[in-house]
Amino acid sequence: MRWPCLGLMLLSLGGAGACGSTGAVSAPRSGNAPTCTDDAREDDDTLEQGLAAAPISHIFNHGPARQEGRVACPGDVDWIHAHADCCNPSGARVRWDASLGPLEVELLDSEGNPIPLGAPGDIVQRQPGEVYLLRAEYGGRFLVRVRTSGEVAVPYSVELFAPVFVR
């Protein structure tokens, strides 16, 4: 008995189906491949593009700078450029719907190197739907790199802790 091809139905659920009796997995048909509409803050897909964008900050003692409506697309990296005056807590909290899959979030210096988060007062919290990374004392430019390892777009929001003093 030969089973009908259900690949199209399975693709609509996010997986790939097997067609025919050979066990081969079919490729998505044109027009059915998932697409991702990136957020309005493009181009921010490379370190250079992230650094070319004006750094984000907030006035000291006025709470973090918030960004809603960001989207992590599969195969795409978002680089968020920020600046904080020395020597205050600096970093980011990224939130998303955990049912869409994990997001990889990293805090990096302006050269793209990880900022160490092991000093007293530093915060590293990673849980489904939220990553909170905060360096207790930091000043200067830094980047938050966000990417999805999954195959679906993941909308997310960011709180940037990047205080500057205004005289």
Side-chain angles (χ1 to χ4, degrees):
M1 171 182 224
R2 186 175 170 126
W3 295 97
C5 176
L6 299 175
L8 182 60
M9 186 171 98
L10 292 173
L11 283 173
S12 68
L13 298 173
C19 288
S21 59
T22 64
V25 176
S26 64
R29 295 185 177 124
S30 63
N32 292 331
T35 59
C36 183
T37 303
D38 222 330
D39 56 62
R41 291 174 181 84
E42 293 299 316
D43 292 324
D44 65 355
D45 299 337
T46 66
L47 172 64
E48 293 77 20
Q49 289 173 328
L51 288 171
I56 300 165
S57 61
H58 64 88
I59 298 172
F60 180 77
N61 249 358
H62 285 189
R66 297 185 200 306
Q67 292 188 342
E68 302 289 332
R70 296 197 66 107
V71 178
C73 288
D76 186 15
V77 178
D78 288 344
W79 294 83
I80 303 164
H81 183 198
H83 173 82
D85 287 344
C86 190
C87 291
N88 291 283
S90 302
R93 177 181 287 131
V94 176
R95 292 183 172 131
W96 70 96
D97 178 352
S99 70
L100 296 174
L103 285 182
E104 299 172 18
V105 180
E106 298 169 275
L107 195 59
L108 308 166
D109 65 19
S110 61
E111 302 296 317
N113 300 310
I115 295 175
L117 295 172
D122 290 355
I123 297 172
V124 177
Q125 295 176 354
R126 297 179 187 275
Q127 58 193 17
E130 182 176 303
V131 173
Y132 183 27
L133 305 173
L134 192 72
R135 178 78 176 155
E137 290 187 10
Y138 188 83
R141 297 187 315 170
F142 67 93
L143 296 136
V144 180
R145 182 170 59 192
V146 180
R147 61 184 159 194
T148 178
S149 57
E151 305 225 357
V152 298
V154 179
Y156 66 95
S157 65
V158 178
E159 292 179 331
L160 285 168
F161 300 89
V164 294
F165 296 96
V166 177
R167 292 175 176 75

